[in-house]
Amino acid sequence: MKVVFLDIDGVLNSHRTAICYGGYPFEVDGKDRSMFDEVALGLIRGIVATSGAKVVLSSSWRITHRFDKVGQALELPIIDRTPSCSGIRGDEIKAWLEAETSPAVECYAIIDDNSDMLGEQMPFFVQTSMEDGFRWADAVKLARLLGIEIYDVNHSRLKVPAPALAWE
């Protein structure tokens, strides 16, 4: 199984989206649902679907929100959440990966704006920023980590001619 460990704040919402939408979301439904970055969500949804990956919620949202509700509201295949351990995100991800109840993981990626990952996790880490959230360069890196080509995501006819994109 391919797994994406997903943070929310600084990934799916940011300072940029807060200025645009008039605040930060605290829920995944109601009026707060419209405060999430739809481009980031669309890219992550497409990458996850194309690669066949599943999502594990590693965000602090996992403490205050049910992971299945978050997955349903954001239309992401969230299958679980990381445990609360030392407060270091890398330790919590490691604990999930090593748990006897966890499925066999062939590869994984971590999307987070916080850099508290373990040394061995750094090659699989897509670091976003609280200022901008999940960006194009982050999408390219996530796709590569999951073994797919970014231009195969969401539209099989999209190709990359130089110097601009065109429809065939």
Side-chain angles (χ1 to χ4, degrees):
M1 173 185 293
K2 295 178 181 181
V3 174
V4 174
F5 292 95
L6 178 66
D7 183 28
I8 292 182
D9 298 322
V11 177
L12 300 179
N13 65 67
S14 62
H15 296 330
R16 180 177 56 83
T17 59
I19 296 297
C20 179
Y21 301 130
Y24 294 97
F26 295 101
E27 297 296 331
V28 290
D29 50 17
K31 71 175 185 66
D32 282 15
R33 176 60 185 83
S34 65
M35 294 178 172
F36 287 92
D37 184 337
E38 287 301 320
V39 173
L41 273 166
L43 286 167
I44 292 171
R45 279 186 205 118
I47 292 167
V48 165
T50 302
S51 68
K54 301 299 181 193
V55 178
V56 173
L57 193 60
S58 57
S59 170
S60 60
W61 283 57
R62 75 193 191 286
I63 299 165
T64 56
H65 298 76
R66 288 182 28 198
F67 72 84
D68 55 336
K69 181 180 177 186
V70 174
Q72 183 178 27
L74 299 180
E75 301 173 44
L76 289 168
I78 300 178
I79 60 164
D80 201 357
R81 65 181 203 85
T82 55
S84 296
C85 300
S86 64
I88 296 172
R89 191 74 42 97
D91 286 340
E92 294 165 346
I93 290 168
K94 182 178 181 179
W96 189 90
L97 287 166
E98 293 178 348
E100 290 182 21
T101 56
S102 295
V105 174
E106 71 179 80
C107 74
Y108 69 91
I110 303 164
I111 312 170
D112 203 312
D113 65 314
N114 196 329
S115 62
D116 61 344
M117 302 304 151
L118 305 178
E120 67 264 20
Q121 296 167 339
M122 296 310 281
F124 312 104
F125 180 40
V126 177
Q127 185 168 13
T128 62
S129 75
M130 191 64 208
E131 289 78 24
D132 297 315
F134 190 78
R135 300 164 303 159
W136 173 250
D138 303 324
V140 171
K141 183 173 183 180
L142 179 61
R144 184 176 42 80
L145 287 171
L146 296 175
I148 63 168
E149 171 61 48
I150 190 67
Y151 294 102
D152 290 336
V153 172
N154 289 339
H155 200 290
S156 61
R157 296 183 328 152
L158 187 60
K159 300 296 178 195
V160 189
L165 300 176
W167 293 99
E168 281 188 344

